[in-house]
Amino acid sequence: MIDVQEFARRLSSLGAEAFTSDDVVDLATAADVRMSADLEIDAALAQRLLDQVSPPPAVTGAQIVASQWPPPVSSRPAAPAVSFSSPGAVDGPADQPGRPRRSGPVRNGRRPTSRRPGR
């Protein structure tokens, strides 16, 4: 949990607009929450307050009240979306090329034999 001043500071760090404790109280009023300057803000209350911000910030209530701030940013790219249509089947992106069924030289239909022809 964080206090109102810390919530305002963290919210200000997310965008160009600077938030004060009074702005946080205004957000609480818009969310029908009674708030005072010494109120501790938990994840649920933070989410209700964040829902009043326009445009919506790119964090959740749990992230903004977490002990680690700012939230960690992954340096790894996001994996492509995968949807499961039935048990055991995986549908990937539609633009994946299909694999050939076999590789190597094309044969003429006869099986190779160790016997020499003409004997």
Side-chain angles (χ1 to χ4, degrees):
M1 292 204 296
I2 58 176
D3 64 12
V4 173
Q5 289 177 335
E6 180 62 16
F7 184 84
R9 186 188 72 76
R10 291 181 181 193
L11 194 55
S12 296
S13 71
L14 295 173
E17 188 177 350
F19 286 85
T20 65
S21 298
D22 291 336
D23 295 324
V24 175
V25 172
D26 291 343
L27 291 174
T29 302
D32 291 328
V33 174
R34 185 175 285 176
M35 179 177 278
S36 65
D38 60 341
L39 180 71
E40 290 288 313
I41 299 174
D42 64 0
L45 178 55
Q47 188 61 55
R48 287 181 66 186
L49 298 175
L50 291 175
D51 290 343
Q52 302 302 316
V53 177
S54 180
V59 296
T60 64
Q63 288 173 316
I64 203 165
V65 299
S67 60
Q68 181 180 1
W69 183 260
V73 176
S74 174
S75 60
R76 295 175 22 181
V82 176
S83 62
F84 294 94
S85 58
S86 64
V90 176
D91 297 331
D95 59 346
Q96 290 183 347
R99 283 200 233 158
R101 292 190 178 243
R102 60 182 145 143
S103 61
V106 178
R107 297 202 171 122
N108 62 3
R110 290 178 33 183
R111 300 183 94 185
T113 177
S114 61
R115 295 190 302 165
R116 289 188 175 170
R119 280 193 170 185

